[in-house]
Amino acid sequence: MRANKGKDTGPELVVRRMLHAMGYRFRLHRRDLPGTPDIVFPSRRKAIQVHGCFWHGHGCKAGQLPKSRLEFWRPKIDANRERDERNLLALQADGWAVAIVWSCELRDLNKVQERLFLFLGKPTSPSLLL
Ligand SMILES: [Zn+2]
């Protein structure tokens, strides 16, 4: 299993393509912001984090820890979750609204699309999808 810390991971690309087709324009991986959010909408002061369920400890099936080497995995995943939480609070304290997209949610793209549309508001460019 590959760490989800690298740029341009599969799930993030899926979300980026979808947002682009919806007519949104955005910046990527703003290093000057807490946690270097994946997708940033500076003028809306909104950001989207795309989280892999395993590495970020989602409560879904894909987020379950393996039964073997639990003592190895648990501290890692716990540390990731704590860091995510710290970054989220820091962003919010700085006036940013943040939406988290879990990779398991991408099985239903229409639902994610609807949620992000509600989160972001009207796109800047004409949408190809809606
Ligand atoms: Zn999940």
Side-chain angles (χ1 to χ4, degrees), residues 43-124:
S43 60
R44 300 171 197 258
R45 220 169 170 74
K46 288 178 181 175
I48 296 174
Q49 288 282 35
V50 183
H51 281 347
C53 296
F54 180 77
W55 290 101
H56 295 267
H58 196 207
C60 70
K61 201 174 168 214
Q64 299 306 302
L65 289 170
K67 291 195 177 70
S68 62
R69 299 230 296 150
L70 199 59
E71 73 288 352
F72 170 78
W73 289 112
R74 189 178 296 284
K76 269 189 195 304
I77 304 299
D78 282 353
N80 285 346
R81 292 182 55 156
E82 278 159 30
R83 199 185 52 226
D84 289 343
E85 182 67 18
R86 265 201 315 277
N87 289 331
L88 178 66
L89 291 175
L91 279 169
Q92 288 171 339
D94 205 22
W96 290 81
V98 183
I100 312 261
V101 176
W102 293 95
S103 52
C104 65
E105 292 180 86
L106 300 179
R107 284 193 294 257
D108 188 348
L109 280 184
N110 285 336
K111 204 166 153 189
V112 177
Q113 197 178 311
E114 221 173 274
R115 180 157 77 84
L116 293 183
F117 178 76
L118 290 174
F119 172 68
L120 293 168
K122 210 173 169 302
T124 30

Side-chain angles (χ1 to χ4, degrees), residues 29-34 36-37 94:
H29 308 293
R30 280 266 306 262
R31 287 177 173 279
D32 56 321
L33 295 174
T36 315
D94 205 22

